[in-house]
Amino acid sequence: MFETRPDRSMEVVLVGRSNVGKSTLMRQLTGHTFDTGRNPGVTRRPNHYDWASEDFVITDLPGFGFMSGVPEETREQIKTDVVRYLEAHAEKILVGVLVLDGKAAVDIIDRHLEREELPHDVEFFSLLEELGIQPVVAVNKIDKVEDRDQRLDEIADRLGMMPPWTQWQDVIAPISAKQGRIQALQDAVNAQFEAAKQEELKQFFS
């Protein structure tokens, strides 16, 4: 089910835990409707959106982590498939957008750390870096967070970036996908396109 990738040499992927708003964000970025739902795990296979005239594709990868009503074996297989997709296409992926739930991410990360487990979000941020894929962290649902700067500082810290978060604005992007407030992400991704000397792709994130 992961073999449907269009033949494109440049790609941006969205990765993240289930129910953090990846599909909603994908809809905001592309104007194209994808399956979304209240229940985690609606997206089980990659959603690709490619522009026929451009050598570029944006991909929403399935969510990983806990999914209500989904067996652990299935959850692990989805996560493995996502990792394999990133490994297989790393050379073509310019940016990996790690989507977090700004309200819940720190608590989830800390809960895993207390159990001496590697949190999924930390694991995938490190994996993107190891694969040579530029990570950009889209901190979604930021409208539901009371102390925005403190929360973003905490997220930066958990991902190994020294606070304050404001020095990482080309990596950390506070957004509200549901409200259509995604400019910070567009700016961060476009900064990475510039760094990769692929300015022509900025039209897709503006």
Side-chain angles (χ1 to χ4, degrees), residues 18 40-44 62-71 74-75 78:
S18 296
V42 170
T43 306
R44 298 288 182 85
F64 45 79
F66 176 76
M67 297 172 225
S68 179
V70 178
T74 303
R75 297 199 305 260
I78 290 170

Side-chain angles (χ1 to χ4, degrees), residues 106-132:
V106 173
D107 288 341
I108 293 171
I109 289 171
D110 287 351
R111 199 157 59 236
H112 281 274
L113 291 173
E114 285 167 10
R115 297 198 296 253
E116 297 186 348
E117 299 169 353
L118 180 61
H120 291 316
D121 294 322
V122 176
E123 179 182 1
F124 271 83
F125 185 82
S126 299
L127 177 65
L128 291 170
E129 290 190 314
E130 286 169 15
L131 294 173

Side-chain angles (χ1 to χ4, degrees), residues 10-113:
M10 291 180 288
E11 182 174 12
V12 169
V13 297
L14 307 185
V15 297
R17 298 176 63 88
S18 296
N19 223 27
V20 296
K22 292 191 309 303
S23 297
T24 302
L25 176 57
M26 186 77 160
R27 188 170 61 234
Q28 290 289 347
L29 288 170
T30 65
H32 188 76
T33 300
F34 297 89
D35 290 335
T36 62
R38 291 185 176 277
N39 297 323
V42 170
T43 306
R44 298 288 182 85
R45 68 184 196 284
N47 280 320
H48 302 285
Y49 192 69
D50 63 323
W51 290 262
S53 62
E54 300 287 345
D55 191 18
F56 175 69
V57 61
I58 180 169
T59 302
D60 174 23
L61 290 171
F64 45 79
F66 176 76
M67 297 172 225
S68 179
V70 178
E72 185 176 353
E73 184 179 325
T74 303
R75 297 199 305 260
E76 284 301 314
Q77 185 59 53
I78 290 170
K79 183 184 164 195
T80 299
D81 287 343
V82 171
V83 170
R84 286 178 178 162
Y85 184 95
L86 294 171
E87 290 174 340
H89 303 294
E91 289 185 4
K92 297 179 178 180
I93 301 173
L94 296 176
V95 179
V97 179
L98 176 63
V99 186
L100 307 184
D101 180 336
K103 194 172 182 186
V106 173
D107 288 341
I108 293 171
I109 289 171
D110 287 351
R111 199 157 59 236
H112 281 274
L113 291 173

Side-chain angles (χ1 to χ4, degrees), residues 127-146:
L127 177 65
L128 291 170
E129 290 190 314
E130 286 169 15
L131 294 173
I133 300 170
Q134 174 60 52
V136 169
V137 183
V139 184
N140 195 22
K141 309 182 186 180
I142 198 68
D143 53 299
K144 298 181 180 179
V145 175
E146 287 183 15

Side-chain angles (χ1 to χ4, degrees), residues 148-158 163-166:
R148 182 173 173 272
D149 284 329
Q150 180 183 335
R151 179 56 49 86
L152 294 168
D153 284 349
E154 291 169 345
I155 288 171
D157 175 68
R158 301 307 189 275
W165 78 275
T166 47

